[in-house]
Every structure is written in C-alpha cells, then in structure tokens.
C-alpha cells in the first residue's frame, strides 16, 4: 500500500483565520513528524484587525489546544461576554438580550416558552430576560464563572470573550510556531496550477521564492487569493437579505467599567457595536451605503463613542454571502476568504472553527476524493444558511417605523427556510427542527420575544398546570436568578481579581 498522507500543508494568510488554522493543524499533525505545516504571511498586506466579539465555542477551541484560559484572557486583554444586548431594535428606548443561557426550565416535560407565553397572556409573567441568568448578570454588569457544568437548568450559563484581534493572532502565532509551524514572510505574487488536475501546485512569492504543497488553506481575506482568484470557485451573494455593505470601525478609550456583553445599538441605516476590552473600547457602525454615506457614518460613529479616539476610523466595505465551495480541488478556504456574514451575532470566528472541524473531521488524503469534498461543502453550506437566517431575522422583525432603511428591511422577502421558522413560531410557539443546531430554541425565542412577536397558540399541555402553580413556578425561577445575580461580583472586579491584562507577547519569528 502507498502512503496516502499529505506531505505538506501551506496556509496563506496570518490573520485570525490563518493562525487558528495553523494551531489546529499542528495540534493534529505535530506528532507524526511527516506532514509539514507552513504559513505564508505578507508583511505588506495587513490583517483586517477587527473581529473581537466571540461566541462560547471559542472556549472549546482553546481547551482543545490546552491553552490556559486565564493566561489567554490576560494576554489578549480580553473581557467576558454573557450575551448580546440589542438596543433600539424593537423601537426607541427598547432593550433585550440574546444570552448564552437557557430561559427558565421545562415544566412537566413541556418547554418553558409555552408556559411563559400563557403566563404572559394572563399578565402573570415578566419579560423573557428575567428568566435568563446570563441576561440578568449582563444587565447588572456582573460576571462569575458558572458553577454547574452539566449544561442544563436555568442556573447554568456559558460565556464567551471580547478580545484584541491583533493580540489573539500574535498569541496563536507564538503558540503555533513553538509547536512546529514554519512561518514564511512573503507576498504571494503568482499561483501556479497543475495543467492536468487544475490543483494549486506552487505559490510564487515576490522575489521569486517558490513554495509548493499538497493541500493549501486559503486564509487570505476577502479577496480569496487561491479559492477565487486562482480557482474561480464563485460566490453566492446574500446582500438582498442582508443589505448592510460597509462598516466603519474605530477604537476609543474606555470611560466606563466594561460591560459583560456586546452592545448592538440600532441606528439610522444599520447598527453600532460596542465591544469593551480591558484597555480600550472597540466601536463600529455597520450600515447600508444605499442609505448613508461613508462620511456620514463615520461622523455619526465618532460623535457617539464614549471616549477619545485611539486611531483613525477605518472604512471596511464587504459583500455578504458565501463562497460556493469551502473546499475546491486541493484548496480549503477559511475566514473572510470563505464568505462573510456581518458581525451582528459574532459568528465569523466561530465559522473558522467550524470549517476547521470539517477539515480535520474528514482529513484529506493525498489522493483526492470528490465525494468527501461534496459532503463537506454541503454541510458547510447548511451551517451558513442556518446562521444567515438567524441574522436576517433581526432585520425582518425590527420595529423602527418611519426610517427608510428599517422600513425596507421589515418588508423585504426572506429565505423560504426563515419564512417557515417565522410561520411555525407565530402559529404554534415551536421552532423548526434543523439538521444544524447552532442557534438553539432559546436563541430564537430571545429574538421573537425581544421583538414582541407572540405565538397564537401554546402547547395544550400547559393547561394541565393550574394557573396559580404556573405563576408560582415562574416567580420562583425569577427569584432564583435574581438571588444568584445579587451574589455575583461585578465584571470589572472579577477581572481585576482573576485575570488583569499583562503586556502583550512579542511577535515570534522563525522564517
Ligand atoms: C467590520 C467587521 C467586524 C467584524 N467583527 C467580528 C466579530 O465581532 N466577531 C467575529 O467573530 N468576527 C468578526 N469579523 C470577522 C473577522 O474579522 C474575521 O473573520 C477574522 O478576522 C478572520 O480574518 P481573516 O484571517 O480571514 O482575514 P485577514 O485578517 O484579512 O487576514 C488576511 C491575511 O492574508 C494575508 N495575505 C493577503 N494577501 C496575501 C498575499 N498575496 N500573500 C501573502 N499573504 C497575503 C495578509 O497579510 C493577512 O495576514 C468582523 C469582520 C468585519 C469586516
């Protein structure tokens, strides 16, 4: 039998995606001393440098690499994130949370939302947020590490992080290079394909150096240097469902204690983010250029940030959509090269992680296998569709009447899959069962409830519970949550006591 292992894997790009790929690949392959992992990074082309809010899965990524979370938080100047707080999306002066915890708990085998809907109709239940521990901790500016680890019950919650993207890339670079990744500084000027197979064979750097490989990971950013420019894989445009196409980003001095959640503030033609780090605040305005000029968006962002600016504002154009294949020939793409969904739910870094799981879970062999590639491409597409639908829902359900951007979003057609989700919830209070389960029922519920959408019916099983018991159970849950919140430290105190920022690592270099 011939050895079917890959001899050489070459990653192009040293942003968050590139160094995440390098770390995950060397973790998997470092011990075999057979496959070489290299990363080519241009000293002339910068990284995007934004991408600072995450979802809880980032902790699994760190755990998998056996990276100490406290060390990581200190060195990336991170803060903790329990939820996303949506301000002004459901109308002026409104706020609701999408928390990283369940709401309430099932009663007599029936999901909490059915009880909550009935109790709300009877005037016996509070707003949904009061039954979510993460929402309430976030609202109170508190943070604690969850005690229970079983992932169940309304006193369990999970958390993510806000971090400095540049420091994260530096951290992972140092980690990966120590583990054996070869770092090559250079700008790819030309990509040579094999005349027969069409596979990428060699990268030619400025100055003429040639780098060949068996598998290439394209992490070159929006342009998709290999997957698009060389292989012409194609792009599925989703901008008719997600009309924002620009962002302005600028950091400023933080003037308040850091919130334990990402703020998403609806504005005239899009929304603004506030991402608190230990040493500064990240700010941005994601907007539609059909409704607002870049200059106006920049001016609006600068007048609303909380402290003096720490850099010049940057305008970042983007096109929402997905690369038609994440894996084409011998190129696998990750990060911005694989597509873009706006940062409303902080899902891009998670999608890098997910892509890496697909790659490592069906680890390619030297002999290509089309069936395997098709399967991965299909699963990846379904995952992106699921996340896309969830993000589109925010725009579709908005209640900002009388503003052209928001009125258009409310009236736009949405994907059929999302239409089904909306109809099913409106009629039955239930959620579609999907093959992909990233956003679970409690996430969908946060949005529907936050936007004031109540279903016509709830499960008939709820009527088996006497109304007084129902009110008592809900009051007990809210009281349990309030009591836990009252005992938790503030987010700022927690960080000061456990993981204050340390000086950043020096950038490592071996190539
Ligand atoms: C406005 C905005 C806000 C965002 N917010 C979030 C968020 O809150 N949470 C989240 O999860 N994600 C967010 N993202 C997405 C996140 O920033 C990216 O997913 C992440 O940074 C990965 O980027 P990347 O590594 O793919 O690309 P980049 O950071 O663009 O890196 C590209 C790399 O390729 C290299 N390169 C390019 N061309 C060549 C060449 N010819 N030769 C050699 N090297 C080359 C560059 O030098 C660079 O190292 C946001 C994105 C945008 C645009």
């Amino acid at each position: 039998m011939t050895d079917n292992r890959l001899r050489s894997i070459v990653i192009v790009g040293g942003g968050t995606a590139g160094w995440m790929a390098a770390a995950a690949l060397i973790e998997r392959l470092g011990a075999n001393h057979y496959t070489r992992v290299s990363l080519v990074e241009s000293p002339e082309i910068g990284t995007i440098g934004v991408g600072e809010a995450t979802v809880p899965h980032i902790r699994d990524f760190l755990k998998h690499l056996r990276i100490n979370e406290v060390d990581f938080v200190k060195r990336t100047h991170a803060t903790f994130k329990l939820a996303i707080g949506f301000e002004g999306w459901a109308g002026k002066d409104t706020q609701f949370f999408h928390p990283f915890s369940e709401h309430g708990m099932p009663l007599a085998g029936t999901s909490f939302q059915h009880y909550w809907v009935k109790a709300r109709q009877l005037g016996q239940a509070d707003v949904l947020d009061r039954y979510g521990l993460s929402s309430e901790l976030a609202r109170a500016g508190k943070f604690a590490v969850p005690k229970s680890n079983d992932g169940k019950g309304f006193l369990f919650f999970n958390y993510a992080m806000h971090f400095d993207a540049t420091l994260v890339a530096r951290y992972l670079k140092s980690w990966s290079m120590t583990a054996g990744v070869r770092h090559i500084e250079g700008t790819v000027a030309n990509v040579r394909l094999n005349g027969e197979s069409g596979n990428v064979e060699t990268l030619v750097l400025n100055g003429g150096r040639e780098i060949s490989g068996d598998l290439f990971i394209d992490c070159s950013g929006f342009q998709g240097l290999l997957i698009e420019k060389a292989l012409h894989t194609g792009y599925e445009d989703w901008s008719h469902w997600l009309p924002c196409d620009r962002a302005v980003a600028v950091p400023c001095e933080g003037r308040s204690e850091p919130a334990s959640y990402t703020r998403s503030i609806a504005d005239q033609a899009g929304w603004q983010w506030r991402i608190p780090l230990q040493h500064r605040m990240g700010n941005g305005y994601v907007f539609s250029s059909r409704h607002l000029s870049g200059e106006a968006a920049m001016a609006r962002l600068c007048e609303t940030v909380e402290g003096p600016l720490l850099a010049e504002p940057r305008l970042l154009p983007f096109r929402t959509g997905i690369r038609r294949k994440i894996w084409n020939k011998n190129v696998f793409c990750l990060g911005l090269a694989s597509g873009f969904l706006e940062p409303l739910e902080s899902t891009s870094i998670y999608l890098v992680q997910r892509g890496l799981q697909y790659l490592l879970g069906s680890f390619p062999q030297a002999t290509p296998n089309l069936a395997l590639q098709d399967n991965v491409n299909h699963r990846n597409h379904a995952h992106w569709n699921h996340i896309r639908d969830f993000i589109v829902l925010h725009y579709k359900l908005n209640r900002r009447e009388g503003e052209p951007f928001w009125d258009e979003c409310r009236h736009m057609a949405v994907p059929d899959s999302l239409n089904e989700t909306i109809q099913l919830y409106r009629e039955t209070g239930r959620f579609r069962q999907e093959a992909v389960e990233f956003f679970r029922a409690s996430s969908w519920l946060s949005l529907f409830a936050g936007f004031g959408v109540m279903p016509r019916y709830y499960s008939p099983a709820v009527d088996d519970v006497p109304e007084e018991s129902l009110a008592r159970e809900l009051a007990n849950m809210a009281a349990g949550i309030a009591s836990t919140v009252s005992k938790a430290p503030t987010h700022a105190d927690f960080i000061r006591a456990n993981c204050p920022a340390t000086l950043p690592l020096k950038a490592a270099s071996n190539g």
Side-chain angles (χ1 to χ4, degrees):
M1 285 232 316
T2 52
D3 192 332
N4 210 1
R5 291 179 295 174
L6 298 168
R7 190 83 190 153
S8 165
I9 302 178
V10 180
I11 300 161
V12 178
T16 312
W19 285 112
M20 282 176 77
L25 284 165
I26 201 72
E27 196 280 331
R28 167 75 174 261
L29 299 166
N32 80 8
H33 302 293
Y34 182 86
T35 311
R36 192 161 65 172
V37 181
S38 315
L39 184 145
V40 187
E41 176 182 19
S42 166
E44 290 137 24
I45 305 168
T47 62
I48 191 107
V50 283
E52 310 205 309
T54 59
V55 292
H57 302 68
I58 189 70
R59 298 181 54 225
D60 300 331
F61 184 78
L62 298 177
K63 207 183 288 172
H64 187 70
L65 298 178
R66 294 176 296 283
I67 288 176
N68 179 292
E69 194 175 294
V70 170
D71 182 60
F72 183 81
V73 167
K74 286 179 172 181
R75 291 188 185 279
T76 60
H77 299 185
T79 63
F80 296 98
K81 170 178 175 184
L82 292 162
I84 303 174
F86 292 95
E87 300 170 28
W89 284 77
K92 213 164 170 267
D93 299 327
T94 57
Q95 185 194 34
F96 68 89
F97 287 95
H98 171 199
F100 299 140
S101 64
E102 300 287 318
H103 295 99
M105 60 181 200
L107 292 175
T110 300
S111 305
F112 171 78
Q113 82 249 22
H114 296 288
Y115 294 96
W116 177 74
V117 167
K118 177 171 179 183
R120 202 71 184 144
Q121 284 174 0
L122 293 171
Q124 292 177 346
D126 214 323
V127 292
L128 185 70
D129 283 342
R130 301 294 168 272
Y131 306 95
L133 181 51
S134 297
S135 322
E136 290 301 275
L137 283 166
R139 199 163 64 96
K142 300 217 167 171
F143 180 77
V145 170
K147 282 209 176 74
S148 149
N149 240 349
D150 63 1
K152 292 194 200 84
F154 67 97
L155 292 182
F156 171 81
F157 62 96
N158 207 341
Y159 62 91
M161 293 163 199
H162 304 118
F163 49 47
D164 181 321
T166 308
L167 297 182
V168 168
R170 202 179 290 178
Y171 190 104
L172 292 177
K173 177 177 185 174
S174 168
W175 191 95
S176 305
M177 286 170 61
T178 307
V181 170
R182 192 170 64 126
H183 179 223
I184 301 164
E185 259 195 358
T187 302
V188 177
N190 194 11
V191 179
R192 249 188 242 133
L193 305 184
N194 180 291
E196 261 175 50
S197 65
N199 279 348
V200 171
E201 218 165 51
T202 312
L203 308 178
V204 185
L205 305 188
N206 274 344
R209 181 174 173 187
E210 297 193 359
I211 298 164
S212 49
D214 302 318
L215 176 71
F216 290 85
I217 315 290
D218 186 349
C219 300
S220 64
F222 282 127
Q223 56 172 327
L225 189 67
L226 310 184
I227 196 79
E228 196 54 54
K229 284 193 165 164
L231 295 187
H232 309 292
T233 302
Y235 195 77
E236 197 174 304
D237 190 318
W238 287 342
S239 49
H240 47 295
W241 289 318
L242 288 166
C244 291
D245 58 354
R246 303 268 188 285
V248 197
V250 71
C252 75
E253 281 178 22
R255 284 293 161 97
S256 48
E257 296 278 57
S260 50
Y261 64 98
T262 309
R263 289 179 67 199
S264 166
I265 309 153
D267 209 315
Q268 178 193 340
W271 61 278
Q272 295 197 26
W273 77 72
R274 296 289 181 272
I275 300 181
L277 304 185
Q278 292 194 38
H279 59 307
R280 64 168 165 80
M281 176 74 81
N283 310 283
Y285 189 175
V286 176
F287 64 98
S288 153
S289 63
R290 277 196 303 114
H291 298 84
L292 194 70
S293 70
E295 295 74 31
M298 222 174 258
R300 173 78 182 141
L301 179 65
C302 293
E303 83 193 18
T304 48
V305 298
E306 71 177 33
L309 302 187
L310 295 173
E312 284 296 309
R314 282 197 304 148
L315 184 67
L316 304 160
F318 57 79
R319 188 155 69 105
T320 295
I322 181 173
R323 196 71 59 202
R324 288 197 187 279
K325 294 177 180 175
I326 191 175
W327 189 359
N328 189 10
K329 303 215 179 269
N330 65 337
V331 174
F332 202 97
C333 61
L334 293 169
L336 300 172
S338 66
F340 187 67
L341 282 167
E342 60 163 85
L344 189 53
E345 286 285 342
S346 321
T347 41
S348 291
I349 292 171
Y350 162 73
L351 282 167
V352 173
Q353 210 178 323
R354 190 75 221 171
L356 281 165
Q357 278 168 10
Y358 289 137
L359 175 66
L360 295 173
S362 45
F363 204 76
Q365 50 205 31
T367 321
N369 187 305
L370 267 183
L372 191 62
Q373 292 198 358
D374 286 348
N375 181 262
V376 165
N377 285 324
H378 180 76
R379 285 159 62 210
N380 180 61
H381 216 97
H383 216 92
W384 278 68
N385 286 347
H386 166 86
I387 293 176
R388 174 205 63 202
D389 280 4
F390 192 72
I391 295 177
V392 173
L393 187 66
H394 299 64
Y395 288 96
K396 181 69 184 169
L397 297 184
N398 89 78
R399 295 176 68 177
R400 294 177 67 95
E401 285 175 23
E403 293 170 282
F405 170 78
W406 293 101
D407 289 344
E408 270 180 38
C409 289
R410 244 188 348 273
H411 293 114
M412 73 183 168
V414 298
D416 290 346
S417 45
L418 179 57
N419 247 336
E420 279 173 36
T421 303
I422 296 173
Q423 291 317 323
L424 186 67
Y425 181 73
R426 281 192 198 277
E427 289 300 318
T428 69
R430 293 171 198 274
F431 300 102
R432 273 172 80 225
Q433 300 290 312
E434 291 184 74
V436 177
E437 276 245 329
F438 174 68
F439 290 115
R440 301 192 313 175
S442 58
S443 293
W444 294 95
L445 180 63
S446 316
L447 287 204
F448 281 117
F451 283 108
V453 180
M454 292 300 263
R456 262 157 53 101
Y457 300 106
Y458 50 80
S459 165
V462 174
D463 289 330
D464 293 341
V465 177
E467 285 176 12
E468 320 78 68
S469 317
L470 181 60
R472 199 174 49 243
E473 292 283 0
L474 287 172
N476 284 344
M477 286 181 210
I481 286 171
S483 157
T484 308
V485 170
S486 71
K487 291 176 205 139
T490 69
H491 183 215
D493 282 346
F494 183 91
I495 291 172
R496 276 191 285 267
N498 297 288
C499 41
T502 51
L503 287 178
L505 291 170
K506 288 217 167 61
S509 167
N510 72 355

